[in-house]
Amino acid sequence: MAEERELVHLTINNIPVEVPKGTKIIDAARKVHINIPHLCYHPDQRVKARCRICSIEVTGNRRLMAACATEVWEGMEVHTDTQIVRDTQIAILQLILANHNQDCLNCPRNHRCDLQELCSRFNIGHTGLPIVVESREDAANNPSIARDPTKCIKCGRCIRACKDVQGIEALNFSGRSDKITVTTAYNSPLEATDCILCGQCSLVCPTGAITEKDDTQRVLDALQDPKKHVIVQVAPAVRVSLGDEFHLPPGAIVTGQMVAALKRLGFDRVFDTNFGADLTIMEEGHEFLHRLENGGTLPMMTSCSPGWVNYVEKHYSDCIDHLSTAKSPMQIFGAVAKTYYPEQAGIPVEDIVTVSVMPCTAKKFEAARPEMGRDGRQDVDIVITT
């Protein structure tokens, strides 16, 4: 029988709350529908308490406390909406904005930015302080991940995702005080580090400092070119993640709506990456039998995930021979689309543009690998993701 946890009784903005001992104030507040503002806090990461946007007032304490790092105690009286709390939060946001590139209209995170949302919540239109943001070169040459240091708020979310979740540690803090930055070892490009281009850092970044490399405009340009025959393949996971985006019930499959939307956008043909997966299964099965019968390297591991392939290549190079030599479903379909399909459709291969809709940023890097093409053409021209 599970041991019952001790309950703690407190009030938050004079509302009685009962939560298990050890609960952080920010989580206790959610129980009574009070959303304490925060930036560095993330429910899937260890507590950092860097930004102090979540500062709250506790009766009997001289100083404000961080709601994300402070555990509740019996009889605690928490206030999240006093004048000193609000003034502190506004001052912190203004200081962040003073060292932040505020070109929001051109930011990939526009309307999906935590900092922007907080500024709207606190009615901050401009900082009122001198702008001290340093102009730095965007590290945007990577095929998967774009970095803009001028939008970094030093919250540390990306570092924790890379180190604690993925176990890679390609990102870390460098410098001290107001010179502190989030960067790679020796400020190297991400692709030159242990990074496997999984994109988890971009998912947790609250601003536009780390984002997926956006290739949407390349797709739109291809669709508008009357000389191009644009085909698209869609990964299995996409038909569910799109349903989530439109707030459908969890697990809802939107294949029909998705195909209809792609056709209306102007794609000439819509294909399913499941076909490529079928080909991959046949190739991997044949290769496995060949290894088994001829003393090949075993066990044989899948090569379907480019992030996994990157991980093995960079961290366990002695295991490369264990990877299957078969391409991923996306790349096998891309190869078919640039060889067999032109012959069957009677369309010159140079007029065909292949677009892939994938759930993974590493797919962008995979499509750009020089071995994933022939005659100077890549098998998959453009990858966009959900």
Side-chain angles (χ1 to χ4, degrees):
M1 187 174 180
E3 182 180 352
E4 292 187 7
R5 296 181 63 183
E6 179 183 349
L7 295 178
V8 171
H9 303 84
L10 68 152
T11 62
I12 303 178
N13 296 348
N14 300 317
I15 301 173
V17 186
E18 182 183 76
V19 293
K21 185 178 180 180
T23 301
K24 299 294 193 295
I25 294 174
I26 196 169
D27 297 318
R30 264 199 211 95
K31 189 172 181 181
V32 288
H33 308 291
I34 295 175
N35 179 20
I36 297 177
H38 56 272
L39 277 174
C40 70
Y41 169 79
H42 193 283
D44 296 333
Q45 298 180 359
R46 69 173 72 175
V47 172
K48 297 174 284 296
R50 292 185 59 87
C51 72
R52 297 289 167 161
I53 294 291
C54 68
S55 295
I56 47 87
E57 190 173 6
V58 176
T59 300
N61 281 66
R62 294 175 56 191
R63 298 180 179 178
L64 298 182
M65 308 182 76
C68 68
T70 307
E71 295 183 358
V72 299
W73 63 74
E74 185 66 31
M76 174 186 260
E77 297 179 10
V78 177
H79 300 280
T80 72
D81 57 356
T82 61
Q83 188 67 50
I84 188 173
V85 168
R86 184 174 179 84
D87 289 346
T88 299
Q89 292 167 334
I90 290 175
I92 292 172
L93 286 172
Q94 289 177 331
L95 287 169
I96 291 175
L97 285 177
N99 190 31
H100 185 79
N101 182 346
Q102 299 178 42
D103 187 16
C104 297
L105 288 179
N106 292 318
C107 180
R109 283 283 189 180
N110 192 27
H111 298 304
R112 295 183 296 112
C113 171
D114 291 357
L115 178 60
Q116 190 181 57
E117 183 178 328
L118 285 177
C119 289
S120 176
R121 174 174 172 176
F122 285 92
N123 197 32
I124 301 175
H126 58 87
T127 176
L129 298 174
I131 303 300
V132 295
V133 60
E134 296 181 7
S135 178
R136 302 175 192 168
E137 182 180 354
D138 287 9
N141 295 324
N142 188 294
S144 296
I145 305 297
R147 294 166 55 212
D148 186 351
T150 65
K151 295 175 182 174
C152 179
I153 61 171
K154 290 87 173 175
C155 66
R157 281 195 193 180
C158 57
I159 295 173
R160 295 270 67 88
C162 190
K163 181 179 180 179
D164 298 343
V165 179
Q166 297 302 93
I168 303 298
E169 204 169 356
L171 296 168
N172 217 321
F173 285 115
S174 175
R176 290 172 176 252
S177 187
D178 64 324
K179 302 299 182 184
I180 193 168
T181 60
V182 174
T183 185
T184 58
Y186 306 108
N187 203 29
S188 302
L190 273 177
E191 58 271 25
T193 69
D194 288 340
C195 173
I196 62 172
L197 304 175
C198 64
Q200 295 302 308
C201 55
S202 68
L203 285 179
V204 298
C205 179
T207 62
I210 303 182
T211 59
E212 171 194 348
K213 185 71 175 295
D214 187 3
D215 293 306
T216 307
Q217 192 57 48
R218 292 180 60 199
V219 178
L220 295 175
D221 290 342
L223 291 173
Q224 292 296 321
D225 190 340
K227 298 179 181 179
K228 297 299 182 181
H229 181 82
V230 189
I231 65 177
V232 60
Q233 61 166 312
V234 184
V238 171
R239 66 207 68 193
V240 175
S241 56
L242 282 175
D244 292 341
E245 181 68 19
F246 288 96
H247 308 295
L248 296 179
I253 300 174
V254 296
T255 307
Q257 298 98 314
M258 178 184 64
V259 172
L262 290 168
K263 294 291 287 184
R264 290 187 182 186
L265 282 169
F267 286 96
D268 296 290
R269 294 288 185 273
V270 180
F271 293 97
D272 196 327
T273 308
N274 276 334
F275 172 68
D278 291 340
L279 298 179
T280 302
I281 290 168
M282 298 302 294
E283 290 293 328
E284 287 189 340
H286 177 78
E287 181 181 6
F288 174 73
L289 291 175
H290 183 270
R291 291 192 186 196
L292 192 63
E293 295 168 357
N294 296 278
T297 303
L298 293 173
M300 189 182 85
M301 299 184 291
T302 182
S303 56
C304 287
S305 166
W308 163 243
V309 171
N310 292 344
Y311 184 76
V312 174
E313 288 179 336
K314 291 189 173 184
H315 295 266
Y316 294 95
S317 57
D318 57 317
C319 293
I320 289 178
D321 289 341
H322 288 273
L323 289 171
S324 168
T325 59
K327 294 180 179 180
S328 70
M330 179 186 82
Q331 288 302 146
I332 282 187
F333 178 85
V336 172
K338 288 293 182 74
T339 54
Y340 180 75
Y341 179 75
E343 296 176 0
Q344 298 300 308
I347 300 171
V349 65
E350 58 269 18
D351 292 338
I352 294 177
V353 177
T354 56
V355 179
S356 296
V357 185
M358 295 287 135
C360 173
T361 54
K363 286 290 184 184
K364 293 173 176 284
F365 171 78
E366 180 187 34
R369 293 182 77 134
E371 63 268 31
M372 297 298 179
R374 62 191 55 76
D375 301 326
R377 299 186 187 90
Q378 294 302 107
D379 291 331
V380 175
D381 295 302
I382 308 171
V383 178
I384 57 177
T385 86
T386 51

